[in-house]
């Protein structure tokens, strides 16, 4: 996701975490503010192009070598790069966030990676190989040239939310999605969002979330295949179909992030 998506997942998660998780993370992250999670949610993107952070650049996605729209699937052995992918990254940083032999600054860093990678794991094109997750696919957005990855990372959410400052927009979006979870369109299904969560097996948990997300590639990202979308204007009917799916993915990411962080903090204590 772009900044809006990540910051929104951070706000949603901070609403659903337990009081003890909130207290622990505020201490670890050195913040007393309500945006203690939102403001670290994009940190992993700010370091991935730095010399120090280069080793994390493949941690944000998994390149599913499937065949949309006929067949969508994720195969860990086939698709996770030797340099790591979002599945192994989430598992590794979960482990580091729990490691009492690491100093607090390392556990804080690990928590920031966990917060970010749960978010990216819910972006459909971060679970797809086609043209590097859509980065090499040129499309139109309001008549201008964009790549498809950017449309899913940022343009769709920006159109939904309208103009404004990013943090207030994300905070407002998070309140809407929290309401839909607590008493709205997601209330009935929200328990099913946690059925695949198995804290004793982070790899299988991340793979289950990845496979669920990757299915959306066949149905909503490339409904007629990766070739057919090239040059298409996406800000109209395509946007109307994609926006509800994207919102659900952001809601799921925030809700699952809270559950995952609660388990980390419960086990660490
Ligand atoms: N980004 C940034 N600085 C960079 C690289 C990316 O702020 N040097 C932001 C803008 C992108 C987002 O990160 O939209 C990409 O997130 P991801 O890589 O998780 O999709
Ligand atoms: N990305 C992806 N799949 C790839 C390559 C990149 O999902 N195979 C994502 C990570 C960033 C964005 O696309 O959000 C741009 O990546 P980069 O700056 O590495 O091209
Ligand atoms: N971006 C940036 N610096 C980079 C890479 C990307 O500012 N080194 C910005 C430009 C794009 C946006 O992020 O508009 C989307 O990239 P994201 O999805 O890449 O990584
Ligand atoms: Zn992205
Ligand atoms: Zn990322």
């Amino acid at each position: 996701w772009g900044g809006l998506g990540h910051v929104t997942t951070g706000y949603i998660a901070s609403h659903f975490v337990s009081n003890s998780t909130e207290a622990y993370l505020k201490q670890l992250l050195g913040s007393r503010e309500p945006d203690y999670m939102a403001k670290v949610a994009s940190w992993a993107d700010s370091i991935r192009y730095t010399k120090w952070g280069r080793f994390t650049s493949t941690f944000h996605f998994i390149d599913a070598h499937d065949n949309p729209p006929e067949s969508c699937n994720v195969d860990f052995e086939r698709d996770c790069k030797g340099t790591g992918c979002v599945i192994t990254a989430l598992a590794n940083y979960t482990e580091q966030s729990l490691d009492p032999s690491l100093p607090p600054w390392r556990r804080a860093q690990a928590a920031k990676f966990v917060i970010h990678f749960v978010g990216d794991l819910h972006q459909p094109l971060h679970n797809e190989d086609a043209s590097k997750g859509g980065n090499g696919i040129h499309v139109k957005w309001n008549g201008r040239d964009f790549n498809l990855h950017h449309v899913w990372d940022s343009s769709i959410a920006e159109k939904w939310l309208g103009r404004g400052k990013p943090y207030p927009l994300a905070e407002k979006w998070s309140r809407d999605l929290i309401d839909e979870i607590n008493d709205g369109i997601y209330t009935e299904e929200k328990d099913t969002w946690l059925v695949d969560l198995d804290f004793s097996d982070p790899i299988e948990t991340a793979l289950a979330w990845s496979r669920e997300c990757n299915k959306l590639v066949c149905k909503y990202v490339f409904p007629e295949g990766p070739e057919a979308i090239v040059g298409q204007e996406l800000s109209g009917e395509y946007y109307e179909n994609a926006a509800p799916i994207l919102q659900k993915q952001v809601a799921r990411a925030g809700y699952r992030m809270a559950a995952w962080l609660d388990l980390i903090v419960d086990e660490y204590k």
Side-chain angles (χ1 to χ4, degrees), residues 66-110:
D66 53 1
N67 187 31
E70 283 80 28
S71 142
C72 273
N73 51 74
V74 179
D75 181 319
F76 180 66
E77 303 296 332
R78 179 192 65 188
D79 301 326
C80 190
K81 289 189 199 298
T83 49
C85 65
V86 68
I87 309 295
T88 51
L90 182 57
N92 287 340
Y93 286 111
T94 296
E95 194 180 314
Q96 288 187 28
S97 68
L98 286 165
D99 187 342
S101 75
L102 292 176
W105 68 269
R106 284 284 305 278
R107 279 182 282 112
Q109 214 173 69

Side-chain angles (χ1 to χ4, degrees), residues 1-3 6 42 44-50 60-61 116 120 123 126 149-150 153-154:
W1 302 118
H6 282 293
S42 295
D45 279 330
S46 70
I47 58 104
R48 58 190 290 245
Y49 299 100
T50 66
H60 299 250
F61 55 84
H116 185 86
D120 275 347
Q123 206 281 47
H126 282 236
H149 190 93
H150 185 268
D153 261 357
S154 305

Side-chain angles (χ1 to χ4, degrees), residues 24-38:
Y24 173 84
L25 287 177
K26 280 182 168 170
Q27 162 91 33
L28 188 67
L29 299 170
S31 169
R32 295 160 186 258
E33 307 303 322
D35 65 356
Y36 67 103
M37 266 198 247

Side-chain angles (χ1 to χ4, degrees), residues 31 34 55-57 59 61 65 74 90-91 105 121 141 162 174 179 187 196 205 214 217 255:
S31 169
F55 74 101
T56 64
S57 66
F59 294 0
F61 55 84
H65 291 73
V74 179
L90 182 57
W105 68 269
L121 185 53
W141 187 263
S174 76
D179 286 345
T187 307
D196 293 320
T205 300
N214 162 272
V217 174
Y255 196 69

